[in-house]
């Protein structure tokens, strides 16, 4: 599946299921925003790390 026209946001992308999903989406050409509470922990070449805590009510526009 070619996802080169798709942009996705993956939460918990620094490890586990989220990281595996983000890696697969990247391999299919998607633009991937990789959400993590600590974006320095995102080790996914090509992904765009962003700070994201799903329990926080504050947010920053991309
Ligand atoms: N693994 C499975 O087979 C499986 C099967 C069915 C359902 N699930 C569900 O899928 C989810 C992920 O599973 P997993 O095995 O990948 O777990 P995991 O390895 O423990 O990873 C959890 C992820 O969630 C992030 N996270 C935790 N609290 C967060 C918050 N407040 N805001 C943003 N991110 C937060 C963690 O980031 P930090 O590093 O910052 O903590 C981490 O990236 C869980 O809800 C699990 O119940 C998993």
């Amino acid at each position: 599946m070619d996802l080169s026209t798709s942009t996705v946001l993956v939460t918990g992308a620094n490890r586990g299921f989220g990281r595996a999903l983000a890696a697969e989406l990247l391999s299919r050409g998607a633009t991937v925003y990789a959400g993590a509470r600590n974006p320095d922990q995102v080790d996914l070449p090509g992904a765009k790390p962003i700070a994201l805590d799903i329990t926080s009510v504050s947010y920053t526009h991309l």
Side-chain angles (χ1 to χ4, degrees), residues 51-61:
L52 178 67
D53 183 334
I54 61 168
T55 66
S56 173
V57 295
S58 63
Y59 66 94
T60 303
H61 288 288

Side-chain angles (χ1 to χ4, degrees), residues 1-58:
M1 185 186 300
D2 177 14
L3 298 178
S4 57
T5 61
S6 298
T7 298
V8 298
L9 168 64
V10 179
T11 59
N14 57 316
R15 62 186 166 92
F17 187 74
R19 186 182 189 284
L21 178 63
E24 185 66 26
L25 291 165
L26 280 167
S27 77
R28 296 178 188 223
T31 297
V32 175
Y33 286 89
R37 287 186 285 188
N38 181 355
D40 292 341
Q41 292 182 349
V42 175
D43 178 23
L44 284 169
K48 301 174 185 301
I50 60 169
L52 178 67
D53 183 334
I54 61 168
T55 66
S56 173
V57 295
S58 63

